[in-house]
Amino acid sequence: MQWMVWTTPTAIFFMAIAIMLSGMTVWEVISPTVERKGFLPITTTRGDRLFIGLLSAAYIHLLVVGFTSLNIWIALSVSILWILALIRWG
């Protein structure tokens, strides 16, 4: 891992994504998903909503870093709340 010059936050970030994907896989095996339509304009599965949530969280971070002087922890908090809402009601 030294050749990649990984920082601790970067390693934690990728481990968190791996844990989320593993958790979703176990959840899918235990309880198969049913497509449903929430506030998103398309029918989605849990995996679809997780993917959309992760993608939109990346955009939230890019917007905060690129256009504001807010702390990155605010972007993280907003992203976590957004993903939780999206998975639950999306």
Side-chain angles (χ1 to χ4, degrees):
M1 297 252 296
Q2 289 295 335
W3 65 273
M4 292 180 67
V5 191
W6 282 59
T7 62
T8 302
T10 304
I12 292 170
F13 171 77
F14 283 107
M15 285 189 304
I17 290 178
I19 289 168
M20 278 192 288
L21 291 174
S22 299
M24 289 294 284
T25 301
V26 169
W27 191 8
E28 182 67 28
V29 169
I30 292 171
S31 172
T33 189
V34 176
E35 287 189 1
R36 66 177 175 86
K37 186 170 180 170
F39 64 80
L40 293 173
I42 56 175
T43 56
T44 58
T45 63
R46 284 188 294 250
D48 296 335
R49 292 187 297 274
L50 176 65
F51 176 75
I52 293 168
L54 290 173
L55 189 61
S56 56
Y59 282 112
I60 290 169
H61 279 79
L62 287 173
L63 289 172
V64 167
V65 169
F67 296 109
T68 70
S69 61
L70 296 174
N71 193 326
I72 197 70
W73 293 107
I74 293 172
L76 179 64
S77 302
V78 170
S79 295
I80 289 171
L81 292 174
W82 169 247
I83 289 174
L84 290 174
L86 187 63
I87 288 176
R88 175 67 179 106
W89 297 293

